[in-house]
Amino acid sequence: MQDFKMWIGGQWVDAHSGKTFATTNPSTGEEIGLVPWADAADVDKAVKAARAAFPVWSKKTQAERSKILVKIAEAIRANAAELAKMEGLEHGTPYKDAFGVAMGAADKFEYSAGIAPTLMGEHIPVKDGTLSYLQREPAGVIAFIIPWNLPTIMTAVKLAPAIAVGNTCVLKPPSINSMIGLKFAEIFSKVDMPAGVINIITGPGGSVGSAMALHPDVDMIGFTGSSETGKRILADAGKTCKKCVMELGGNNPVIIMDDADLDASLKVLGWRQFNNSGQHCSGPGRYYVHEKVYDAFINKFIAYAKTVVVGNPADEKVTMGPVVSREHQNKVEAYIKKGIEEGARLVFGADKPEALKKGFFVMPAILADVTHNMTVAREEIFGPVAVILKYSDKDDIVALANDSPYGLCAHIWTRNIERGMQLVNDLHVGSVFINCQMLTNEQPWGTSVKESGIGKEGSRHGMAEFTDLKLVCINYNV
Ligand code: NAD
């Protein structure tokens, strides 16, 4: 078992209490690493380190900061194989996928280095003799709390734009994927960057995360995770009126119209459903399939599911690893059971091989004949389980799709772009994908719709969230 330390103020430290907790390999159920179990005193130490670094870092020129971000990108690329192995070990991601994700994390730093200099203030014309403008400033000390579903990319998505524009940060990785967060700390430690710009602290959300949200010297919270936790953080952060950017849960409708290209749709949706064991916030939550293509869609989905190779991510042939924890495995399997009990038809669901029973594996499953009010159609399953509903021209598909406490994104498959564009206007969600699914560095993600979040992440828009606009007004006619 490997021992890890936290990265605070440019030093490797244990929790002040000396306590640790173990993280687990989800493919085997074995404990693999011991990480510090921080508490509020450690959070305070990390926030103080970030506060001390703030004047140093924020006063660097943009060009100086961007150069350091490029060096971080290079260091991540140089360590991408190790990061990918770590993600396979602690998160269960197949190596090829994990390597791509690690390289994507490097790109986020390089991209942020490139666009930060283009984020500017604004001149406000007022009257002769007066100069008024908006000056863009970093938000300050930002506390980041991230989820386990995409630990590598989330670390980069949060830290890169935030430090690019002069903020200093304390990041808490999800406790079950703490080793991945601390692997990043090791990479950051090798880059010549002022101490305290990035601090990585490990521990349970309920104590460490909450202490971060409550800390009076944290200026802003950047959170990704479930809507339930998001609401708790908002309540904690509200006590000191912190700015919060929240990327929360979803139960994304997928509308397969009667003229959809089913083969093309399954290439994208099948991958999205089973990649990362279905643990994607933007993934398909509930498929509304037009009755004319319903049977054909299901048959093609089954054919796709049969191609998924489930197993230990270290095996090159494997395309889907375990889900992240025993708790999550139980939750996802309980949803499959509940769906069947409520009347859904399990049209695909292989038995679990004996060799996979020790790990936290959930076999790909397809539930058909689901109806709108069944639990599996209402709640976010977050696993390799496709939930398929039939609709006809008599149904109000917009009302069905919008009837959810979430509004993260929607997917539409149709050859009739005019109908698709009408849906774009009518769906109350933050992002709509028609006949595709992609998210590049230039495209902002996130939404302020319903319980799916507050604010944007990624692109110039997400970076701007990490800044404040100060109004300056000067009477020079004196
Ligand atoms: P979670 O809410 O359980 O945990 C997220 C983080 O919050 C973890 O680091 C956890 O330790 C911490 N935490 C837990 N309780 C806390 C508290 N009281 N105070 C402060 N921090 C606390 O989420 P999860 O299970 O790790 O991730 C899955 C969820 O994340 C899903 O709902 C998914 O939709 C959502 N998600 C959303 C997006 C998005 O972009 N909208 C992206 C990825 C995941």
Side-chain angles (χ1 to χ4, degrees):
M1 205 142 55
Q2 261 181 288
D3 269 323
F4 289 83
K5 289 185 190 291
M6 300 187 289
W7 179 245
I8 297 181
Q11 309 276 326
W12 291 108
V13 295
D14 292 315
H16 89 288
S17 67
K19 282 194 197 165
T20 56
F21 64 99
T23 80
T24 306
N25 178 344
S27 303
T28 60
E30 285 161 4
E31 292 185 345
I32 44 176
L34 276 182
V35 298
W37 184 321
D39 62 21
D42 301 294
V43 170
D44 189 53
K45 187 174 174 178
V47 172
K48 284 198 170 102
R51 178 58 65 197
F54 182 70
V56 181
W57 185 244
S58 60
K59 284 193 168 47
K60 280 197 181 295
T61 64
Q62 189 55 62
E64 285 168 335
R65 282 198 298 266
S66 286
K67 268 186 202 151
I68 294 178
L69 266 91
V70 170
K71 286 196 179 124
I72 296 176
E74 284 161 3
I76 294 174
R77 282 193 194 109
N79 285 275
E82 268 192 66
L83 257 177
K85 275 188 211 143
M86 183 72 91
E87 179 152 329
L89 197 65
E90 200 187 30
H91 183 76
T93 315
Y95 180 78
K96 212 169 106 202
D97 292 348
F99 186 78
V101 168
M103 296 300 270
D107 292 348
K108 302 248 174 253
F109 280 90
E110 212 167 60
Y111 173 78
S112 295
I115 62 158
T118 72
L119 222 60
M120 296 187 187
E122 210 173 288
H123 171 244
I124 307 170
V126 275
K127 60 174 188 172
D128 274 2
T130 307
L131 170 66
S132 188
Y133 60 93
L134 292 173
Q135 175 170 310
R136 197 175 285 279
E137 299 191 344
V141 172
I142 307 184
F144 287 118
I145 304 170
I146 62 170
W148 48 255
N149 71 309
L150 297 163
T152 297
I153 208 71
M154 279 294 159
T155 305
V157 164
K158 301 290 190 206
L159 291 177
I163 65 164
V165 292
N167 299 287
T168 56
C169 309
V170 178
L171 179 136
K172 187 193 91 61
S175 24
I176 43 182
N177 284 163
S178 294
M179 279 165 47
I180 296 169
L182 295 172
K183 180 74 203 165
F184 265 105
E186 190 191 312
I187 294 169
F188 299 143
S189 75
K190 291 184 182 146
V191 175
D192 188 16
M193 161 168 59
V197 172
I198 295 175
N199 304 276
I200 312 260
I201 182 165
T202 50
S207 49
V208 177
S210 185
M212 291 164 82
L214 285 165
H215 199 292
D217 207 23
V218 166
D219 297 294
M220 178 178 173
I221 302 287
F223 173 72
T224 298
S226 62
S227 302
E228 288 63 36
T229 306
K231 288 178 213 171
R232 280 199 284 276
I233 290 176
L234 285 171
D236 284 343
K239 292 187 177 126
T240 45
C241 292
K242 295 187 202 325
K243 178 177 183 182
C244 295
V245 173
M246 314 293 280
E247 309 298 340
L248 307 178
N251 182 14
N252 312 310
V254 181
I255 302 173
I256 307 287
M257 300 187 121
D258 54 4
D259 62 349
D261 180 338
L262 299 186
D263 290 318
S265 76
L266 254 319
K267 252 191 217 160
V268 174
L269 297 167
W271 185 81
R272 211 64 201 158
Q273 186 68 65
F274 301 119
N275 171 263
N276 195 25
S277 307
Q279 303 165 124
H280 282 293
C281 57
S282 60
R286 48 201 161 107
Y287 299 81
Y288 293 95
V289 183
H290 193 279
E291 59 181 356
K292 276 194 201 151
V293 293
Y294 185 74
D295 291 335
F297 183 77
I298 289 174
N299 288 336
K300 285 179 192 289
F301 217 137
I302 294 171
Y304 188 100
K306 284 183 180 159
T307 67
V308 177
V309 183
V310 185
N312 192 315
D315 179 344
E316 272 182 21
K317 291 191 291 301
V318 162
T319 59
M320 191 181 100
V323 297
V324 79
S325 65
R326 178 74 74 205
E327 188 194 357
H328 194 54
Q329 177 200 359
N330 292 340
K331 185 174 157 194
V332 176
E333 289 182 341
Y335 272 123
I336 300 173
K337 199 160 159 259
K338 182 97 176 156
I340 296 166
E341 280 165 11
E342 290 183 0
R345 193 160 49 95
L346 184 70
V347 292
F348 185 81
D351 284 337
K352 201 178 297 178
E354 207 47 48
L356 300 186
K357 287 195 176 151
K358 270 200 193 148
F360 313 147
F361 291 91
V362 177
M363 301 307 284
I366 302 176
L367 290 168
D369 301 351
V370 173
T371 54
H372 184 70
N373 288 321
M374 286 184 192
T375 309
V376 288
R378 307 299 304 161
E379 297 180 10
E380 183 186 32
I381 300 179
F382 222 56
V385 184
V387 168
I388 305 186
L389 302 85
K390 189 191 281 187
Y391 82 95
S392 75
D393 292 334
K394 281 186 254 135
D395 293 306
D396 182 347
I397 191 63
V398 171
L400 288 171
N402 281 339
D403 180 25
S404 166
Y406 301 109
L408 193 55
C409 71
H411 306 248
I412 301 164
W413 286 83
T414 179
R415 287 185 169 96
N416 183 336
I417 296 302
E418 196 183 341
R419 281 205 293 173
M421 291 305 291
Q422 190 54 52
L423 283 173
V424 167
N425 296 336
D426 293 342
L427 291 173
H428 191 33
V429 293
S431 306
V432 181
F433 300 99
I434 303 184
N435 299 333
C436 67
Q437 152 107 55
M438 65 170 75
L439 202 54
T440 66
N441 286 330
E442 296 75 16
Q443 295 171 297
W445 174 246
T447 180
S448 298
V449 174
K450 297 193 254 182
E451 296 185 17
S452 282
I454 303 173
K456 291 286 181 199
E457 143 174 301
S459 83
R460 292 169 54 81
H461 301 280
M463 185 177 272
E465 299 274 15
F466 298 130
T467 65
D468 196 18
L469 288 169
K470 180 184 276 175
L471 173 69
V472 184
C473 194
I474 307 163
N475 173 5
Y476 56 83
N477 238 346
V478 283

